[in-house]
Amino acid sequence: MMESPARTLSSSLAENVEAVCRHYLSNGRRCGNYWIVGDVNNNTGRSLYVRLKGPLTGKGARGRWTDSATSEHGDLLDLIRAREGLTSFRDTFDEARRFLRAPYVTPTESRGRILSECDTITLARKIWAASQPISGTKAEAYLRARNISADLSDAPLRYHPSLIYREGRKSLSRKLPALIAAVTDNSGEITGVHRTFLDPARDTKANVASPRRSLGAILGNGVRFGAIDEFAIIGEGIETVLSLKTAFRHLPMVAALSAAHLAAWRPPSTQRRLVIAADNDEPGRNAARRLSGRMGEHGVDTTTITPLSADFNSELRKNSLDTLRAGVERLIGAHAS
């Protein structure tokens, strides 16, 4: 059977997926096996993610993308159509063919400059190994300044006093202190790290364009606080999860690190109940809905809790710990005791 023109074009684009992303979504960046950007209009952010690795077609195909804020998804033809505001298939095909004929750096030519997933995981593990225990450091002071009093002695958190930060590939680098969090999979293997760059003089995030960055294989994994078996609480940010950990120290929790990664969380086979601590914004609520739907397919019961403030760290800083605990306790039931 002859392959349709749409499928042929889609496969050709998928063979050059990173070049497509760099051209049409230039405000995004590579994060492990994904290209992360704000939306199809190329705004900065972390809501839309494009798969950079995988087969050309079928499940897990490269070039497939999802926007966790809007639930839009599709292949690279759909992405080009949305990005360029095209209304007809013919115009979309013409634009895709124009792009494929244009000169650009191929994956083979750029291989020496772009880290593979294996490289990024290795680099992430090196950063983790080079970091020091968090106790008594600026990283701990940063978390305490956000009213987080959770026990950090066994947390997957470390401190790096002088980590390289660069705005972009062509920008000059500088060194900043950073909170380092280990990202692990369901077997406990470190697959990446999350870096929160800190202000050298104050106990706040650094005043840079992107103070939070991930490295390695992040999607489906997370920063785990406690062993996750049948029950867990999952949230987006480390500060959000640690705020809940301040109120419920005995409960296992995981930080997915963004709305897109929250929606893509992969539960362990033993999981039976999941509490989703959604940020109080559209991407957070949409990600929680998508995750809840996916968990239903795995036979996992879910409950979504949402703060009145922007997130649960804002809630903790605005109200007392007792107020936060009481508000959440009634929603998660027996596990709270």
Side-chain angles (χ1 to χ4, degrees):
M1 181 181 296
M2 183 176 295
E3 191 174 60
S4 71
R7 180 168 294 185
T8 300
L9 265 178
S10 183
S11 295
S12 296
L13 292 167
E15 288 177 344
N16 303 284
V17 57
E18 187 159 340
V20 174
C21 291
R22 291 186 182 279
H23 180 79
Y24 292 101
L25 302 176
S26 58
N27 286 326
R29 62 188 179 87
R30 185 185 178 112
C31 183
N33 282 343
Y34 295 86
W35 189 266
I36 306 293
V37 72
D39 52 35
V40 293
N41 295 315
N42 196 29
N43 291 310
T44 58
R46 301 175 57 85
S47 177
L48 187 149
Y49 52 98
V50 185
R51 186 181 290 271
L52 299 178
K53 298 287 185 180
L56 291 179
T57 60
K59 186 176 181 180
R62 72 183 87 163
R64 301 297 298 184
W65 60 274
T66 299
D67 188 332
S68 62
T70 64
S71 296
E72 292 178 281
H73 62 277
D75 63 10
L76 292 174
L77 278 174
D78 298 316
L79 181 66
I80 290 173
R81 178 176 54 80
R83 176 71 182 93
E84 298 299 302
L86 303 172
T87 57
S88 72
F89 286 118
R90 174 174 290 181
D91 288 344
T92 303
F93 289 177
D94 287 346
E95 172 62 21
R97 292 188 183 104
R98 183 205 63 75
F99 170 80
L100 290 169
R101 286 194 301 267
Y104 56 90
V105 178
T106 67
T108 300
E109 292 169 330
S110 64
R111 191 171 297 146
R113 292 182 285 128
I114 300 173
L115 293 175
S116 69
E117 179 188 10
C118 182
D119 292 331
T120 60
I121 292 174
T122 299
L123 180 56
R125 290 172 177 171
K126 287 181 178 178
I127 292 173
W128 178 253
S131 302
Q132 64 191 63
I134 192 173
S135 179
T137 67
K138 175 175 278 292
E140 182 182 23
Y142 161 74
L143 294 173
R144 300 308 185 203
R146 299 180 74 94
N147 290 0
I148 291 168
S149 60
D151 181 9
L152 303 179
S153 58
D154 292 324
L157 302 174
R158 290 183 179 177
Y159 172 67
H160 198 296
S162 186
L163 195 62
I164 292 176
Y165 175 86
R166 183 180 289 110
E167 294 286 0
R169 288 182 179 273
K170 297 182 180 179
S171 303
L172 294 175
S173 63
R174 56 191 288 200
K175 290 186 176 181
L176 292 171
L179 166 66
I180 309 297
V183 178
T184 55
D185 61 18
N186 285 324
S187 67
E189 291 292 318
I190 293 178
T191 64
V193 292
H194 183 268
R195 300 153 292 173
T196 303
F197 289 94
L198 304 174
D199 189 293
R202 300 177 300 154
D203 296 330
T204 62
K205 294 191 298 294
N207 185 23
V208 294
S210 181
R212 292 189 175 98
R213 290 184 172 181
S214 297
L215 177 70
I218 309 298
L219 206 73
N221 303 316
V223 181
R224 298 159 193 259
F225 299 91
I228 296 174
D229 189 14
E230 293 187 356
F231 172 85
I233 296 177
I234 187 170
E236 288 186 34
I238 292 169
E239 296 89 344
T240 286
V241 170
L242 283 176
S243 297
L244 291 169
K245 195 72 173 171
T246 296
F248 303 98
R249 298 178 182 238
H250 64 292
L251 294 182
M253 302 187 190
V254 57
L257 302 176
S258 73
H261 292 104
L262 179 78
W265 162 252
R266 289 193 295 265
S269 60
T270 55
Q271 189 137 35
R272 295 295 175 265
R273 182 159 185 240
L274 183 68
V275 173
I276 305 170
D279 282 5
N280 191 11
D281 55 22
E282 187 175 359
R285 290 187 291 271
N286 285 340
R289 282 194 292 269
R290 292 187 60 232
L291 178 59
S292 182
R294 287 184 52 246
M295 291 303 96
E297 298 172 2
H298 289 274
V300 178
D301 292 329
T302 61
T303 299
T304 298
I305 58 175
T306 307
L308 296 176
S309 303
D311 55 44
F312 281 101
N313 185 243
S314 298
E315 198 83 354
L316 176 62
R317 299 169 75 184
K318 181 179 179 180
N319 302 304
S320 69
L321 176 59
D322 288 341
T323 300
L324 173 63
R325 184 183 290 117
V328 174
E329 199 167 34
R330 61 185 176 82
L331 297 173
I332 64 178
H335 291 283
S337 59

